[in-house]
Amino acid sequence: VQFFQMSFFGEKISEELTNRVFSKLNLTVKFENIEIWLFPPTSYFKNVSVVSKENAPFKLKITASSLGIQFGYLDLFTKNFTIGKVSIYDAAVKIDTPKDDTDKEFDIKEINKFNFEAFMAFYQKEIYAKMPIRIKKLELEKIDLEIDSKKFFVDNLLVGINPKRISARGTVENEN
């Protein structure tokens, strides 16, 4: 059920999301309008621009036709805000990560050395536990993705984020 689609109400919702979500993630967000859905409770920002702030750990720029943020009703009243799902549709995403002096090519032999238990321990302690906002799922559809000059096309991708599990399902194509 669609609840609202107007700029004035969108500004109020935008203020709340900016204060509780975007500022914690070091992001500046601009959009034309917003649609609010009651079931499930979701805000869809239309014609969106997302840019990381100067103090962010990496540079991010997103231009999307739609950015959805789904949350539970109880999250509006709690201190620890959890996002059920972030959806990005029809977008261009550019990510620039800090440069490492040891830029290596992929070596298939390295897979045999991969320690999954150590990776999950690192993920739980250093990534998941330190996330400023909990995000349970990330949904990407029709995305031109560029990471450090490497280009990909994400037809569809659903990533589940959990303290004990990471899951991914979808189609991503290399465009280099």
Side-chain angles (χ1 to χ4, degrees), residues 35 37 42 47 66 71 91 123 152 171:
E35 291 179 6
W37 291 67
T42 308
N47 298 319
S66 181
F71 49 89
Y123 163 75
F152 306 91
T171 304

Side-chain angles (χ1 to χ4, degrees), residues 37-38 47 51 77-78 94 96 130 151-153 155 160:
W37 291 67
L38 289 177
N47 298 319
V51 179
F77 306 104
T78 63
K94 183 173 182 181
D96 290 321
K130 293 181 179 180
K151 296 181 180 184
F152 306 91
F153 177 71
D155 185 44

Side-chain angles (χ1 to χ4, degrees), residues 24-76:
K24 288 184 180 181
L25 297 174
N26 288 319
L27 299 173
T28 301
V29 179
K30 295 179 182 176
F31 58 94
E32 282 186 15
N33 66 355
I34 186 171
E35 291 179 6
I36 308 297
W37 291 67
L38 289 177
F39 301 105
T42 308
S43 298
Y44 287 102
F45 299 89
K46 301 298 181 175
N47 298 319
V48 183
S49 171
V50 178
V51 179
S52 59
K53 295 180 181 176
E54 288 292 322
N55 58 346
F58 55 88
K59 292 184 180 187
L60 171 70
K61 182 178 180 183
I62 301 172
T63 305
S65 66
S66 181
L67 169 72
I69 298 179
Q70 181 182 38
F71 49 89
Y73 289 114
L74 295 178
D75 287 323
L76 296 173

